[in-house]
Amino acid sequence: MTTGEQKRRPVIAGNWKMYKTQADARAFFAAFAPLVAHSSHCGIVIAPPFTSLGVAIEAAKGTQISIGAQDGFWEPEGAFTGEVSMPMIADVGATHVIIGHSERRQFFHETDETVAKKVKAALAAQLTPIVCIGESLQERESNHTHECLKRQFTGGVGSLTPAEFSRILLAYEPVWAIGTGKTATPDMAANAHAYVRSLVADRFSSEQASAVRILYGGSVKPDNVKGLMAHEEIDGALVGGASLDAKSFAAIVNYET
């Protein structure tokens, strides 16, 4: 393991998607916070719906839990009905934002170009972007995984400056493993992460390739997180369904114990 790899602190992030009211969020944090009070081995991020951001931020005060949004718009303000800007997300007290999730790409037609614009807007607002890339089942089965990852990387975060890139997190999420119960094997995930790291080295530098943290997302659960995290290429997890239950998500956060 290189010096750069030793310095990478894991991050476990929970994406609640379109679940939980404000009351649900309060109940979750009341149960979850005590379970991770001494979990200093990794960073913890939870991304609730916009309507519960304020409640989550209030509930996370005094803890090491960071709060992020699930999306944000690239313009700081304007006539964009229904959108929420990155400065608004930062203003409410969030520190992170998920960008380019496969569901945003699939259902809302996000492109690599819009991902790049959103990442730059997030960085301008002093947010930490968690930028998602990953192949579909068709691309995986037709051996186009690397082609897809290269396209999404190059068209998205590949347009950043080295200084900008140093402030982001990447998340590899094979689309075929999200919400399906299917999970990439630890070796499959690690191989994809290693390839993404090679793209970073080619575009930026070997130092940045060693430093960037790449999370795995795709049906991460308490019973498979340890095998995934055993690979030094995998720097954490972006967790969907299993992050909705306090005990389940705490078990994932506390994968070392």
Side-chain angles (χ1 to χ4, degrees):
M1 185 180 289
T2 68
T3 302
E5 287 170 331
Q6 288 175 330
K7 291 181 180 177
R8 292 200 305 263
R9 184 169 183 246
V11 173
I12 306 293
N15 174 18
W16 285 359
K17 307 190 181 185
M18 200 174 70
Y19 293 97
K20 293 197 185 296
T21 63
Q22 293 180 62
D24 293 335
R26 289 189 187 95
F28 175 92
F29 279 95
F32 178 71
L35 299 175
V36 298
H38 304 292
S39 306
S40 58
H41 61 285
C42 69
I44 306 168
V45 182
I46 293 177
F50 285 123
T51 51
S52 293
L53 272 177
V55 164
I57 288 159
E58 185 64 31
K61 280 183 179 175
T63 75
Q64 58 180 329
I65 304 165
S66 299
I67 304 300
Q70 298 174 17
D71 186 33
F73 196 58
W74 58 78
E75 292 291 347
E77 60 183 15
F80 302 102
T81 301
E83 292 295 335
V84 178
S85 73
M86 302 296 182
M88 290 173 178
I89 292 167
D91 179 62
V92 80
T95 55
H96 292 66
V97 59
I98 299 171
I99 297 175
H101 191 280
S102 63
E103 290 160 1
R104 298 296 312 176
R105 295 176 188 264
Q106 179 181 356
F107 300 128
F108 303 100
H109 311 296
E110 296 215 351
T111 64
D112 298 330
E113 180 185 5
T114 61
V115 166
K117 290 165 73 172
K118 288 184 175 188
V119 171
K120 289 177 181 178
L123 292 171
Q126 304 305 311
L127 295 169
T128 298
I130 302 173
V131 187
C132 303
I133 57 176
E135 80 282 7
S136 67
L137 180 61
Q138 183 179 4
E139 286 166 326
R140 163 65 67 169
E141 291 181 339
S142 59
N143 295 317
H144 289 154
T145 294
H146 284 190
E147 183 181 320
C148 170
L149 294 176
K150 185 174 184 178
R151 182 182 69 249
Q152 292 179 345
F153 176 87
T154 304
V157 296
S159 64
L160 300 176
T161 66
E164 289 171 334
F165 184 82
S166 69
R167 296 167 53 200
I168 75 167
L169 299 172
L170 288 174
Y172 166 63
E173 45 160 25
V175 180
W176 50 270
I178 297 173
T180 62
K182 297 179 181 178
T183 310
T185 65
D187 285 344
M188 288 166 65
N191 288 340
H193 284 220
Y195 177 69
V196 172
R197 218 174 285 284
S198 75
L199 295 175
V200 178
D202 289 344
R203 169 63 183 86
F204 297 102
S205 68
S206 58
E207 290 76 18
Q208 287 202 282
S210 291
V212 65
R213 288 176 290 180
I214 307 174
L215 316 185
Y216 169 75
S219 296
V220 178
K221 296 180 174 61
D223 61 1
N224 63 25
V225 65
K226 203 165 211 174
L228 290 162
M229 293 303 297
H231 277 270
E232 59 188 46
E233 280 292 345
I234 299 175
D235 304 311
L238 179 57
V239 186
S243 72
L244 297 172
D245 178 80
K247 288 184 179 179
S248 170
F249 192 46
I252 292 172
V253 169
N254 296 323
Y255 63 88
E256 285 194 333
T257 60

